[in-house]
Structures are given as C-alpha cells and as structure tokens.
Amino acid sequence: MRLAAAAVVLAAMSASAAAQEGAMVVLSAGASGFWHHNSHVTQTVGLASIEYRGTSDLYRGMKPLVGAFGGSDDSSYVHAGVYRDFALAPRWIVTPHFSAGVYSDGTTNDLGGKLEFQSGVDLFYRLDHRWRVGATLRHVSNGGIYDVNPGIETLAILVAIPLD
C-alpha cells in the first residue's frame, strides 16, 4: 500500500514538472514508409523534421505545435496541431500529438491528396536543463477524404531543445 501511495505522489510531482516545462524545438531523424502495406507506399525514405512546441494551454493541457518534415524522396509536409505531455516517472514523458497539414508527394510514395493528418506518440527521457531525447512513432493519412488513403508510418529519434 505504501508503495502504491509513493508511486501516486511521484507521478503527481513529475506530472507537474513536465507541465511546467517551457517552449521547445523538437528535431527528428528517421525513416518513413518502412511498412509496405499497400501499392501506394513502396519505398522507405529518410526523413528529417522540425517542430515548435508552445506552452499555451489550449484545452485541458493540450498545447500548440507547428512543424515540417522533408523526405529523401523530396516529399514534404507542413502542419499545425496539438500535443500533451504525460509524465510517466520523474524523467520519462509520453507525448501524444495530432496535427493537420499540407503534404507534397515526393518521387516515391503517394498519400492520395494534399490535406493529410498526422498522429503520433513520442517517448522522451528528460535530461538535465530540460533537454529531452526520445523516439517517436507517427502515422500520416488523409483519413479517407480522398479516393486513395494509403497512410504512411514513421519511426524516428528525437531531440527536444528548450527555448527558455
């Protein structure tokens, strides 16, 4: 029973610590299209991204993000959305996020249209001075608003740099 109470107190303390962190830039590098589950996603491509994650509480802890990625096949995506940090332990943070944006096909993978939605989850380890390192799994899809909706997955490593 004491162990459970200690875990609850620790989680509450770390949740407030994660919530109090300031704005950051999140950089990533990884691979997209590694799961060739349909005829529209046929190539694995390298991917790099940058996101700004703000601190304004939009609704129940959700905060704004804007970002962009570029692929080694000349694909690109510019998006805006929301994220929320959840502390798992004093230094571990899980961050689900969702955004919508404009996608430009590269030379290999066709996602079906210009308007695409990205959902994902990041797992971070918080270093000293509020820096974070982690990994992400993301999915980009048009949600069925076009005739073709193949979707594409990305796995990447992350570095989050505090801005204040």
Side-chain angles (χ1 to χ4, degrees):
M1 185 65 166
R2 285 185 185 172
L3 184 59
V8 169
V9 169
L10 207 78
M13 288 173 28
S14 62
S16 63
Q20 293 173 4
E21 292 188 8
M24 65 184 72
V25 170
V26 179
L27 306 174
S28 78
S32 188
F34 57 87
W35 183 21
H36 305 150
H37 54 86
N38 60 61
S39 62
H40 295 279
V41 178
T42 60
Q43 300 292 319
T44 301
V45 298
L47 194 81
S49 73
I50 184 169
E51 287 181 356
Y52 169 80
R53 295 191 180 179
T55 59
S56 301
D57 188 348
L58 300 175
Y59 179 74
R60 296 187 179 213
M62 290 186 286
K63 298 175 183 174
L65 70 80
V66 293
F69 72 62
S72 60
D73 67 341
D74 294 327
S75 61
S76 60
Y77 181 62
V78 178
H79 60 99
V82 295
Y83 76 98
R84 181 163 183 204
D85 285 337
F86 293 93
L88 298 177
R91 291 190 177 256
W92 288 97
I93 302 163
V94 65
T95 306
H97 47 85
F98 177 81
S99 57
V102 178
Y103 177 77
S104 175
D105 288 339
T107 57
T108 56
N109 298 320
D110 176 11
L111 297 188
K114 294 290 183 193
L115 176 62
E116 299 286 335
F117 306 98
Q118 177 177 260
S119 58
V121 63
D122 306 338
L123 178 63
F124 285 110
Y125 180 79
R126 189 172 47 81
L127 303 169
D128 293 338
H129 307 291
R130 295 187 350 253
W131 282 64
R132 298 178 183 183
V133 294
T136 189
L137 174 62
R138 299 176 180 194
H139 175 78
V140 175
S141 164
N142 63 50
I145 62 173
Y146 301 110
D147 291 337
V148 176
N149 181 28
I152 197 166
E153 287 71 40
T154 299
L155 278 174
I157 58 171
L158 304 169
V159 174
I161 305 162
L163 295 177
D164 50 2

